[in-house]
Each structure stands twice: as structure tokens, then as C-alpha cells.
Amino acid sequence: MKKPLKLFKGRYLTIGMPYVWLLMFFALPFAIVLKISFSTAAIAIPPYEPTFSYVDEALSIFLNLGNYLLLLQDSMYYMSYLTSLKMALIATLGCLILGFPMAYAIARAPARTQAVLLLLVMLPSWTSFLIRVYAWMGILSNTGLINNTLMWLGVISEPIQMLNTNFAVYIGIIYAYLPFMILPLYATLVKLDFSLVEAASDLGSRSINTFWKITFPLSMSGVVAGSMLVFIPAVGEFVIPELLGGPDSLMIGKVLWQEFFNNRDWPVASSLAVVMLALLIVPITLFHRYQSRHMEKEI
Amino acid sequence: MKKLSFSNVMLWFGLLFLYAPMLILVIYSFNESKLVTVWGGFSPKWYGELFRDQQILDAVWTSLRIAFYSATMAVIIGTMAAFVMTRFRRSWAKLTLSNMITAPLVMPEVITGLSLLLLFVQMAETFGWPAERGMLTVWIAHSTFCSAYVAVVVSSRLRELDLSIEEAAMDLGATPLKTFFLITVPMISPALMAGWLLSFSLSLDDLVIASFASGPGSTTLPMVVFSSVRLGVSPKINALATIIILVVSLVAFLSWYFVRRSEKKAKAAMEAH
């Protein structure tokens, strides 16, 4: 790192304000979720029993493990975790398969074209997420564009059920998160030394071989970052399974939402969130490691 | 050469995949027919219908105000955090700050939303504030997650800056505060602008966190859209979606343009020397 600027009195304010804000509105909330995940649901406002109580000069702490036991016992909960992980994994793979060649093509394009292509890839991700998921409802439904076209062409006589299936959820996740896969991939691919690829092919390596032995290993950090950027939010996805999925695409984000808003069982919703976070600790750490390495390199 | 053509084909296929659904949506928003999927001729009538829907108009106004305030606050917090991340010496405080600021980038929205709501409920119980959830709580929630994006945009710009200009200003007697506002801010203003516009569109678009953090009287546009979309596809929503796509693309394009123009200027200035 370069020589730090002279210290100044505003230093404490500069670090203090964002620090306090994030501590207050980002870190503290997780502590509260953890606390409430150990309490019991009640018909009250707010709808849970207090964890700490001070009665008769005694501080008592009630830790109720029931919510976590419920997650283990009720198959709906652990199945929804498994479904979420499976669907996020498959969708991430889909993003990688489609996104890698795209990022590669952008990285190899002339410098002036690169900026335009990147904008074209990023632009959809800046327009409304909800609207883009909604757009697929009209395309995939039984009377939608795909079915209508296929029936008109005479390929099928009955509409294929696509909306409200897992297939629609995969399409939705890949569609919504593809730009987040392409961006980190592009960032590593554009720095890749392509003379290595050329050397390999000069030495007679077939292009598929060169790809697996040279290009892919060298772009690993981008692959990891992009995959995490898709996988982590996809696990907790709510909007896509709700709008495109069917009854069997029970993803954990949707279950949490229903527990919270429909059943008003705040403690169970909290413990669902805690377990989800625990499952995501490894991918989140992986992403952070990439992020900090990326930043350090730039310094 | 063969491989290059394969990736180029994939690139065009991918771009088609990204844009076709939105294009179809825009075309169908001009559909005369009430049935969304049957083409009944060209008509802008759903736009007229849309502008007579008071509930949607109210939600648009609420969303715009929240987005404006959130983007402004996010730029303040995000810029300060970016400044700490790039200009301060490695310390425990700096490390935790940079971890906390990048976390909202990947955190599943349901977790962020739920935890913020539980915080607000707890706060209301403990010291009676905020008494009820509304625009203020949505503003806090949006400012928090948007500042992460601002911090990323601004810190990458701050890293590229030539520190010697700031040092020169301070050597000549400018206070750090003065240096920041007279030297640093003008130099990073395109990034600030881009961060503000990005936050604005992120806040305008957010459904999940807003649903958790909002209360009566603070229904945002995505919440209205979501509740009507749940019931199925409707031509009015197609018209609304078209307008949203156009406006947000314009905002996104503008922020991209600001950054690019300043980069060009910087390059030209370098070459002139």
C-alpha cells in the first residue's frame, strides 16, 4: 500500500460513521435473529416469548432449541434446504457454461468493443429484477409464446407444462444472475496472458486440451468468484421460485417468507435464516477471499 | 480460430437470451387484446389505463422518494467507507469495516430483510423508536445495502487516483477536510454520480427487503407489481414494465456514460502531458 495520508482529526469521524451505521444496521440485526431463533412463538406483539427476563431479582435466560429440532424433524424444512442447494448448484453450473464462453469472447474482442459488450451484458442486471422474472411468466406459460409457437408449427398438439416447474426456476435464475457470472470471469480473463494459449497450440495441443490445461486453471479465481456471486443469493432466492416455480420447487427463501408472513412464526423463520447462513459460510468466505485478494492486487 | 468462433456464437446467443424476453414484453405491452398472449392489434390503451391507476401512481411516488433519499445516504456512507478502505492504514477497525461493507453484496435478501425487521421491532420495544415501520425504516434498509455498491464503485476509483495531488494540497496548507472537498471529491465525482444512480435504481427495484422493512403507508412499486403479478400476467403490468425498463436502462446508461467520459478525459489529460 502507498504511504497513508497524514492523519487528521476527522479520521475518527470518517471511520466512525460508516462503522457505527453498519454495526447498527448490519451486524446487530444478525445477533437479534440469532436471539429470536431461540425463543418460542407466541400470540402476542411481537409474536415470540422474550429470551431474557428479569423477574424477582433474577435474570433468567430461556433458550428454546425446539425451533432447530423442528428443522431436523419436519421433512419439509430439510428437504427445502436440499432443494435450494441442488437448484442453486445446477443453476450456477448453467450460468458458468453459458457465461464462460461469453466472457471469453468479450475478453478477446477489440478494446473498444469490450466496453460496449460489457455494457450490453450489465444493462439487463440494472433493470428491474422483478420485471425480468415476470417477463418469463408470459413466455413459459401454457398459453405463452413458446407453447403457442410450437403448437402453431405443429410440433406439439398439447401445451408443455413449463411454468410452475423446476425447469422454469432454472431458467429464471440463470437469466437473472448471468451478468454476475460474466463480470468476474471477464475481469480475470482479460488479464490472462494469451501468449500461453498460443504457445500451447503452437506446440500442437488441441484446443479443448489447451482450454482445460491452460485457460480454465488460470481463470479459476474468476470462476470461483462468479460461481459464489450466483450460488449464494440463488440459495436464498424468493421471487423466482415464487413466480416461476411450482409446489415442488420449495426453496428455503420461499419457506422462510411463508413462515414469517403467512404463519407468523418468527422464531422458526429466524432459525431457518440462521441455518441458511451457516450453510453459506463456506461460499461467503470463499467470495471474501477472492474479493480481498482482488483488491490487494489493485493496490 | 475455431474456438474463438464458438465463444462468439455463445456471446450472441447469450445476448439474445438476455434481451429477447424484455423485447417480447415491450412488444406485448402494445397489445390491444385483454388476453396477454393473444395478439389483438397495436394499441397504447394499457398505458392510458396505467396512468389512471391511483394505487400504482402513489406507489411510484413513494418509491421515487425512498430511492432519492436512500441513494443520497448510501453515497455518503459508501464514500466514507471507501475512503477508509483505500486511504487508511491496515487496522482491526478497517478490516471489520471492509468485511461488513462487502457482505450485503452477496447476502441472500431474505436474510437481510428478516434481520432488519427484527432489529426494528426490537428497537421499538426497547426504546419506542421507530414506533412503526414506514418510509423511514425502508430508507435505513436501502441505504445500508446500497452503500455496499457505492463503496465498491468509489473505492475502485479512489485507488486509481494520483495521491500526490492530495499530498501537494496538504503540503500547501489545506486542511484534510478542505483537501477532500476541493481535490478528492471533484476527481471522484463521476464515480459518486454512478454510485448514486446505481443505488437509486437498486432501491427502486428492491422487493424483498422493502417488504420486510415497510409498514402501512409505505407500499413501494415493486410490492404493488409483485402482488398483482402473483395473480397472473396482465397487460397493464406489461405497460408498466416497459416504462420501468426504459427508465432504468436510461439511468444505467447515463451512469455508465459519466464514468466513461471522465475516464476519457483523464486519459486525454495524461496524454497531453
Side-chain angles (χ1 to χ4, degrees), chain A residues 238-250:
Chain A
F238 163 71
V239 176
I240 297 173
E242 177 71 22
L243 293 184
L244 301 178
D248 57 333
S249 33
L250 207 57

Side-chain angles (χ1 to χ4, degrees), chain B residues 9-253:
Chain B
V9 168
M10 287 298 272
L11 176 64
W12 292 115
F13 171 75
L15 287 176
L16 189 74
F17 174 65
L18 283 176
Y19 283 92
M22 289 198 276
L23 198 69
I24 292 165
L25 196 71
V26 172
I27 294 169
Y28 271 92
S29 75
F30 292 103
N31 189 0
E32 167 81 44
S33 163
K34 201 182 162 92
L35 291 162
V36 192
T37 46
V38 183
W39 184 256
F42 178 87
S43 151
K45 74 170 180 187
W46 298 110
Y47 288 87
E49 199 109 336
L50 181 69
F51 285 109
R52 278 189 293 274
D53 189 325
Q54 194 55 42
Q55 194 200 3
I56 287 180
L57 293 182
D58 288 344
V60 168
W61 179 231
T62 310
S63 281
L64 284 175
R65 275 187 298 166
I66 292 176
F68 180 84
Y69 296 130
S70 305
T72 309
M73 194 64 197
V75 166
I76 296 171
I77 301 169
T79 308
M80 284 171 125
F83 201 76
V84 172
M85 274 153 64
T86 51
R87 294 284 193 273
F88 281 26
R89 255 180 302 188
R90 192 185 277 269
S91 69
W92 181 82
K94 178 186 155 174
L95 201 72
T96 36
L97 181 71
S98 42
N99 274 339
M100 277 198 291
I101 197 98
T102 48
L105 292 178
V106 282
M107 197 58 67
E109 283 179 313
V110 279
I111 298 187
T112 316
L114 176 74
S115 60
L116 274 163
L117 171 70
L118 294 179
L119 171 84
F120 294 138
V121 171
Q122 188 79 44
M123 277 165 71
E125 229 191 318
T126 318
F127 37 83
W129 184 90
E132 103 183 331
R133 292 185 300 281
M135 275 184 60
L136 182 76
T137 48
V138 181
W139 170 72
I140 291 175
H142 282 183
S143 305
T144 309
F145 88 87
C146 289
S147 59
Y149 291 86
V150 175
V152 169
V153 172
V154 173
S155 65
S156 67
R157 185 85 192 95
L158 274 174
R159 272 193 200 96
E160 290 163 7
L161 278 193
D162 190 356
L163 276 178
S164 58
I165 305 174
E166 287 168 47
E167 279 163 2
M170 291 215 265
D171 282 346
L172 292 170
T175 60
L177 200 67
K178 212 170 180 181
T179 312
F180 179 74
F181 280 106
L182 290 180
I183 307 288
T184 316
V185 167
M187 285 200 293
I188 59 167
S189 61
L192 297 181
M193 194 69 198
W196 192 91
L197 288 169
L198 178 60
S199 302
F200 188 81
S201 66
L202 282 170
S203 165
L204 219 51
D205 185 32
D206 168 65
L207 164 75
V208 174
I209 295 173
S211 301
F212 277 101
S214 75
S218 61
T219 312
T220 62
L221 186 62
M223 289 162 72
V224 175
V225 173
F226 182 67
S227 59
S228 91
V229 160
R230 250 181 169 168
L231 305 172
V233 185
S234 95
K236 215 194 307 185
I237 295 297
N238 280 353
L240 177 65
T242 302
I243 296 175
I244 293 176
I245 289 174
L246 290 181
V247 171
V248 180
S249 316
L250 194 71
V251 170
F253 182 78

Side-chain angles (χ1 to χ4, degrees), chain A residues 254-276:
Chain A
K254 200 170 134 182
V255 174
L256 192 155
W257 180 284
Q258 282 165 357
E259 266 330 308
F260 189 87
F261 284 110
N262 304 354
N263 298 349
R264 287 189 64 78
D265 194 334
W266 293 18
V268 165
S270 303
S271 51
L272 282 167
V274 171
V275 174
M276 196 200 305

Side-chain angles (χ1 to χ4, degrees), chain A:
Chain A
M1 198 175 152
K2 282 172 199 159
K3 195 182 97 193
L5 283 185
K6 265 183 219 163
L7 303 184
F8 54 92
K9 278 180 202 154
R11 185 190 163 89
Y12 291 105
L13 182 77
T14 317
I15 199 165
M17 188 180 158
Y19 202 84
V20 169
W21 181 284
L22 286 170
L23 218 55
M24 181 81 193
F25 297 120
F26 193 73
L28 181 64
F30 289 117
I32 291 173
V33 170
L34 191 64
K35 191 199 98 173
I36 289 171
S37 74
F38 286 113
S39 68
T40 320
I43 303 172
I45 298 170
Y48 53 86
E49 304 274 3
T51 325
F52 304 102
S53 61
Y54 190 74
V55 185
D56 296 333
E57 294 179 349
L59 175 73
S60 41
I61 304 170
F62 296 101
L63 287 185
N64 172 25
L65 294 175
N67 303 315
Y68 289 96
L69 289 176
L70 184 71
L71 298 193
L72 281 175
Q73 281 158 357
D74 194 330
S75 67
M76 182 189 81
Y77 295 116
Y78 61 73
M79 282 314 284
S80 65
Y81 280 115
L82 288 179
T83 314
S84 292
L85 291 176
K86 186 193 89 186
M87 295 185 81
L89 198 70
I90 293 176
T92 309
L93 264 177
C95 275
L96 192 61
I97 291 168
L98 181 57
F100 199 99
M102 289 177 76
Y104 189 86
I106 299 173
R108 296 303 314 261
R112 200 173 293 171
T113 328
Q114 281 185 15
V116 177
L117 287 174
L118 269 185
L119 178 74
L120 278 177
V121 165
M122 287 313 287
L123 203 57
S125 78
W126 285 19
T127 66
S128 174
F129 178 83
L130 181 58
I131 296 299
R132 283 183 297 139
V133 176
Y134 164 73
W136 280 100
M137 289 175 73
I139 298 173
L140 295 173
S141 77
N142 279 354
T143 54
L145 198 74
I146 296 180
N147 272 320
N148 274 357
T149 313
L150 288 178
M151 292 210 317
W152 181 72
L153 288 172
V155 181
I156 48 168
S157 52
E158 291 271 300
I160 309 169
Q161 173 78 32
M162 283 182 288
L163 191 64
N164 304 327
T165 63
N166 284 350
F167 169 73
V169 180
Y170 290 133
I171 293 274
I173 299 179
I174 294 174
Y175 180 70
Y177 290 106
L178 183 63
F180 298 109
M181 176 64 89
I182 294 178
L183 209 64
L185 277 176
Y186 162 80
T188 48
L189 281 173
V190 81
K191 285 186 206 136
L192 193 114
D193 187 358
F194 281 103
S195 60
L196 291 172
V197 179
E198 277 158 23
S201 62
D202 281 351
L203 294 170
S205 167
R206 285 193 311 139
S207 49
I208 293 177
N209 192 33
T210 314
F211 174 78
W212 286 115
K213 291 249 163 79
I214 311 271
T215 318
F216 194 74
L218 282 178
S219 51
M220 210 52 211
S221 70
V223 172
V224 171
S227 303
M228 295 305 107
L229 221 45
V230 175
F231 181 78
I232 300 166
V235 168
E237 187 52 57
F238 163 71
V239 176
I240 297 173
E242 177 71 22
L243 293 184
L244 301 178
D248 57 333
S249 33
L250 207 57
M251 289 178 76
I252 197 66
K254 200 170 134 182
V255 174
L256 192 155
W257 180 284
Q258 282 165 357
E259 266 330 308
F260 189 87
F261 284 110
N262 304 354
N263 298 349
R264 287 189 64 78
D265 194 334
W266 293 18
V268 165
S270 303
S271 51
L272 282 167
V274 171
V275 174
M276 196 200 305
L277 208 56
L279 286 175
L280 291 176
I281 284 272
V282 173
I284 288 176
T285 332
L286 268 176
F287 176 73
H288 269 283
R289 195 175 290 169
Y290 164 83
Q291 187 84 1
S292 52
R293 210 185 306 158
H294 193 69
M295 280 181 175
E296 229 135 79
K297 250 185 217 160
E298 283 188 1
I299 297 168

